[in-house]
Amino acid sequence: PPRWLRRSGGGPLGLRADPPARKAPAAAAGGPRAMATGAGEARWGVLGCADIARKLCVSVQEAESARIVAVASRDAGREDKDKKARAWADANAPPGTVAHETYEALLGDDTVQVVYIPLPTAMRKQWVLKAAAAGKHVLCEKPVAIDLQDAQEMVEACRASGVQFMDNTMFMHHGRLEEMRKAISDREGFGRVKHVVSAFSIPFGNQESWAKENIRMNAETEPFGALG
């Protein structure tokens, strides 16, 4: 049976055997752009088999108004690309999820309304533009682009196509951030902020085998490294 990520429990990766219970899906209406009007159920497609996309599958499954319907693996002349997409969908998406052999095939799938793009940073602009041209709403992983000009072009493309664009900076929508802001702004209780120290790291960066295989060590695909 498919294995599902959860937020707690279930071993080191938080895996569990069964998806959470949910209501029967409502009938979607109005074509690919119906999500903008709130009609029916938002049908999601995942562009790529990234590990981080597993978390999105859980979140979508737990929502009552959304469903994963398709997954695609890249077309790089790989003989196993269709098998990879199928295996990933079976492990992380609901039964019946379509596994496409190419990203283009997923964008051409009329059942998909919104596309999640967890691809490496250097590839995101290309596929956001293609998704917008295909009339798909877009949720793009952070950072959305390698520079401001590219980001603006992506937003404008979505606006011109009448689709929604959103970056996946999820913590901006968490109540914890507002509570932190309140605490820091409390001059009497917290004091005046004079210095901020921040650090971001990734595991195994010093392991040669990991460095050779992980995309974050490839400046062409992830120019921001660990931040990509």
Side-chain angles (χ1 to χ4, degrees), residues 117 119-132 140 143-147 149-155 157 165:
I117 301 179
L119 303 175
T121 305
M123 299 174 61
R124 288 170 192 163
K125 174 187 173 183
Q126 172 189 1
W127 292 102
V128 167
L129 298 183
K130 289 185 176 183
C140 184
V144 297
I146 60 175
D147 57 38
Q149 182 178 349
D150 280 358
Q152 291 175 330
E153 186 176 345
M154 293 155 68
V155 171
F165 176 87

Side-chain angles (χ1 to χ4, degrees), residues 93-202:
T97 298
V98 176
H100 289 291
E101 296 184 2
T102 66
Y103 297 161
E104 289 88 351
L106 186 145
L107 295 182
D109 187 337
D110 290 336
T111 64
V112 175
Q113 295 173 300
V114 54
V115 176
Y116 170 56
I117 301 179
L119 303 175
T121 305
M123 299 174 61
R124 288 170 192 163
K125 174 187 173 183
Q126 172 189 1
W127 292 102
V128 167
L129 298 183
K130 289 185 176 183
K136 312 296 186 185
H137 302 288
V138 176
L139 176 65
C140 184
E141 262 307 330
K142 57 197 176 301
V144 297
I146 60 175
D147 57 38
L148 177 61
Q149 182 178 349
D150 280 358
Q152 291 175 330
E153 186 176 345
M154 293 155 68
V155 171
E156 288 302 322
C158 289
R159 180 180 290 118
S161 295
V163 297
Q164 298 180 40
F165 176 87
M166 185 175 183
D167 76 83
N168 197 32
T169 309
M170 66 290 182
F171 56 81
M172 296 296 294
H173 307 281
H174 196 288
R176 178 178 57 185
L177 195 65
E178 182 59 29
E179 294 302 316
M180 291 170 59
R181 194 193 316 275
K182 291 178 181 178
I184 294 174
S185 300
D186 182 1
R187 288 292 186 90
E188 293 185 3
F190 190 86
R192 185 169 65 90
V193 178
K194 298 180 179 180
H195 184 64
V196 176
V197 177
S198 178
F200 192 95
S201 62
I202 52 178

